[in-house]
Amino acid sequence: MTFLLSDEQRAFAASVRELLAKSDVPAVATDWAAGRPESGRALWTRLAELGVTGLAIDEDHGGLAADPVDLVVAFEELGRAAVPGPLIESIAVLPTLLAGAELAADWLPKLAEGAALATLALPPHLPHALDADTAELCLLVEGGHLHTTETVGAPKESVDPTRRLVAVRAAEDLGAIDASRAFDTGVLACAAELLGAGHALLAAAVEHAGNRRQFGRPIGKFQAVKHQLANALVGLELSRPLVYGAAIALREESATVARDVSAAKVACADAADAAARAALQVHGALGYTRECAVAAFLLRVRALRSAWGTAAFHRARVMKALV
């Protein structure tokens, strides 16, 4: 089967990329990590104007009721820019989780228009609620039930300083809920974000390899560097069909959704990690410094590798489906 993005989807990706390129996302991320969310909320509003925050929300609640493929398109661009905040939770997961729930009428319009952020904890794969100290809505899925939450203690440190992890406990029980589709949507969005981050790392490495000179020539001319960057590109490009295949499976409610989103997450995490290692080696010690953009992406990839299920969990899901 041949799969191509539509002209509208490519234009949407270009619009999101252009917006993020003009938004000084590194400065936004620095503010977010320091507990100053104002610039991040302003960026969130601009993303809402493009329809990003309403992609997974139905039209009755002010959203676009978009295809999961559109969600992947958006999250690849968000990952390419390393946008901070509870992106997966607020844009992909909570709209899916709340569809048909009593909270939908109150919260989905606010999420669609970018007036509110939402997050959740979904143990064991998501034991803490990301940015619960900033989000207006925080929920917990535990024991097959949906709960409002209470914060427990101060936010915990993450390897990525823009990610504040907050321990929460159940407050009001909102009733039984099946969170399987919401979880799979979160895994898919995480895979797409990793894919975008991997491409950003590779692009930074290629640019640096073309500018840095050793022995009178750019280091990108050396075969060892070429091979390393080529291998990183191959890994990223081979993982891309898995992401879009999983999006199509999710759209069609295929029986293979769990297998497909897990395969996409494993492939994208491995490919992004390989791109991160290549970028770090090309940049040398410079890649560790805060002044180098590569450092932020290295930390984001490291954090997302274990978010929304570890590699061991997702490999086991794929194995179970195959066996």
Side-chain angles (χ1 to χ4, degrees), residues 37-61:
E38 293 78 15
S39 60
R41 299 301 294 257
L43 175 56
W44 201 271
T45 299
R46 293 194 291 273
L47 288 170
E49 291 170 354
L50 278 183
V52 174
T53 57
L55 285 172
I57 296 173
D58 59 61
E59 295 176 347
D60 290 340
H61 292 106

Side-chain angles (χ1 to χ4, degrees), residues 117-159:
L117 299 180
T119 188
L120 84 161
L122 206 165
H125 307 298
L126 219 65
H128 301 101
L130 178 64
D131 294 321
D133 54 341
T134 302
E136 285 78 13
L137 175 65
C138 180
L139 299 174
L140 167 68
V141 177
E142 191 173 50
H145 282 241
L146 183 65
H147 307 266
T148 59
T149 62
E150 297 174 347
T151 299
V152 181
K156 302 179 183 296
E157 292 185 359
S158 167
V159 65

Side-chain angles (χ1 to χ4, degrees), residues 72-208:
V72 167
V73 169
F75 270 94
E76 185 174 349
E77 296 304 326
L78 295 170
R80 196 187 298 269
V83 178
L87 304 168
I88 298 172
E89 294 81 358
S90 195
I91 298 174
V93 177
L94 262 299
T96 305
L97 192 67
L98 294 182
E102 291 185 8
L103 292 178
D106 291 333
W107 286 102
L108 291 186
K110 296 177 183 178
L111 295 181
E113 65 187 25
L117 299 180
T119 188
L120 84 161
L122 206 165
H125 307 298
L126 219 65
H128 301 101
L130 178 64
D131 294 321
D133 54 341
T134 302
E136 285 78 13
L137 175 65
C138 180
L139 299 174
L140 167 68
V141 177
E142 191 173 50
H145 282 241
L146 183 65
H147 307 266
T148 59
T149 62
E150 297 174 347
T151 299
V152 181
K156 302 179 183 296
E157 292 185 359
S158 167
V159 65
D160 178 355
T162 66
R163 292 171 59 86
R164 294 189 304 279
L165 305 174
V166 181
V168 295
R169 63 188 173 202
E172 180 185 358
D173 188 339
L174 301 176
I177 195 165
D178 181 3
S180 57
R181 182 177 176 84
F183 175 72
D184 287 336
T185 304
V187 174
L188 176 66
C190 187
E193 194 173 342
L194 279 163
L195 181 62
H199 274 289
L201 283 160
L202 180 59
V206 170
E207 180 180 8
H208 188 72

